[in-house]
Amino acid sequence: MTAVGGVVAAQARKICSSRAVVTVASIAVALAALTMTSPADANGGPMFMMAGGAPEVIGGAIGFIGNVIDGDAVAASAARTAFVYTVLWIPVAAVYGVAAFSLDFGCGAARVSKARGASLGASGCARMLASFVPLALFYVAACSASFAFKAAQYGAAAGLSDWTGFLFAACTNALLLCSVAAWSAAIYAVVRGTFGAAIIQLGLAVIVLLGYPSAYGSAVAASSADPIFPWCLSPVFHLMNVSSLCAQGTGLLAPAVYSVASCALAFAVAGVALRIREV
């Protein structure tokens, strides 16, 4: 246990000073600035992977929707706009998960850790946890700054309940992004190739981003139940629903629980893969 703790502490220091974290911090600042500079009176606003007939109503469409103000929920509209560029965080999380987790394997530090008595299966999961904290913090910080700015721009007096609801959604999204990163790391633990792991995870994300809105739109047109399986197996599906605040109808607890369970499963897969292939 002492050996694992030492590995985790060293990994945390390495990650915090790594180029990957600096890159994620820069992306967070850039996307927050991009959100803030998008004009509030834009005709339709920025929309990504959107489907549904009523984007002007909170929960009336899925996807990533910005600067479309629901007069009955102005603060929620500001929250939805704050999440509009979450779609761009998905490839960031996928690549970051591989980059941060593969640090020790690329330089041979994993072999040194093993020689000192640290199990790669146990320490690897701890590395994943240490790696994803900066990702979550930068995402929540960027979205919080955007929410505060957009709420003021829209003329909404965001109170405690508005901030509480926003932060619950932002933290849920952050956990879902950590799930994306965790599965990238788990795939890397299986295939041991940074490029291959990133491509696999990005490919899966693209399938959901392109496939689910089409299926959702077809279901709405046919007045049938929204399609769930197999889309609900992907964290990207939940990111689309939470970011457009469609989760207001069913609550945020389900996607939050899913994100934790998904991360735990990814940790388990990575741990097993590292135990089977220790070097």
Side-chain angles (χ1 to χ4, degrees):
M1 186 63 68
T2 302
V4 172
V7 170
V8 174
Q11 181 74 1
R13 290 192 296 269
K14 184 187 302 181
I15 290 168
C16 289
S17 61
S18 71
R19 186 178 303 174
V21 168
V22 174
T23 300
V24 170
S26 301
I27 290 171
V29 172
L31 291 180
L34 188 61
T35 306
M36 294 178 191
T37 55
S38 60
D41 58 349
N43 183 19
M47 297 184 186
F48 305 95
M49 308 301 171
M50 192 273 291
E56 68 279 0
V57 177
I58 296 296
I62 64 164
F64 306 96
I65 304 167
N67 289 326
V68 180
I69 304 174
D70 183 344
D72 295 326
V74 181
S77 299
R80 184 170 64 173
T81 298
F83 297 141
V84 67
Y85 291 115
T86 298
V87 63
L88 300 182
W89 278 94
I90 294 170
V92 172
V95 174
Y96 174 81
V98 176
F101 185 68
S102 63
L103 283 174
D104 283 358
F105 295 91
C107 66
R111 292 184 176 86
V112 175
S113 299
K114 181 185 176 184
R116 292 178 177 175
S119 166
L120 290 185
S123 63
C125 292
R127 284 190 191 93
M128 291 169 70
L129 184 61
S131 300
F132 304 149
V133 169
L135 175 69
L137 291 178
F138 284 129
Y139 174 81
V140 172
C143 290
S144 295
S146 299
F147 172 66
F149 184 89
K150 283 298 178 180
Q153 188 180 56
Y154 293 171
L160 179 60
S161 61
D162 296 317
W163 271 101
T164 300
F166 164 77
L167 288 174
F168 192 2
C171 290
T172 300
N173 272 351
L175 286 172
L176 289 167
L177 286 171
C178 287
S179 175
V180 173
W183 278 108
S184 293
I187 294 170
Y188 172 84
V190 174
V191 303
R192 292 296 175 89
T194 54
F195 180 77
I199 290 298
I200 291 171
Q201 182 67 314
L202 289 172
L204 292 172
V206 168
I207 289 173
V208 180
L209 285 171
L210 296 178
Y212 178 64
S214 176
Y216 176 88
S218 298
V220 170
S223 300
S224 59
D226 295 348
I228 296 297
F229 189 83
W231 311 110
C232 63
L233 299 178
S234 170
V236 175
F237 161 86
H238 299 282
L239 279 167
M240 295 177 73
N241 283 278
V242 175
S243 293
S244 50
L245 302 185
C246 287
Q248 284 192 340
T250 57
L252 289 167
L253 183 59
V257 171
Y258 164 85
S259 64
V260 174
S262 180
C263 286
L265 183 58
F267 284 12
V269 170
V272 170
L274 290 175
R275 282 180 178 274
I276 292 174
R277 187 180 174 186
E278 282 275 328
V279 179

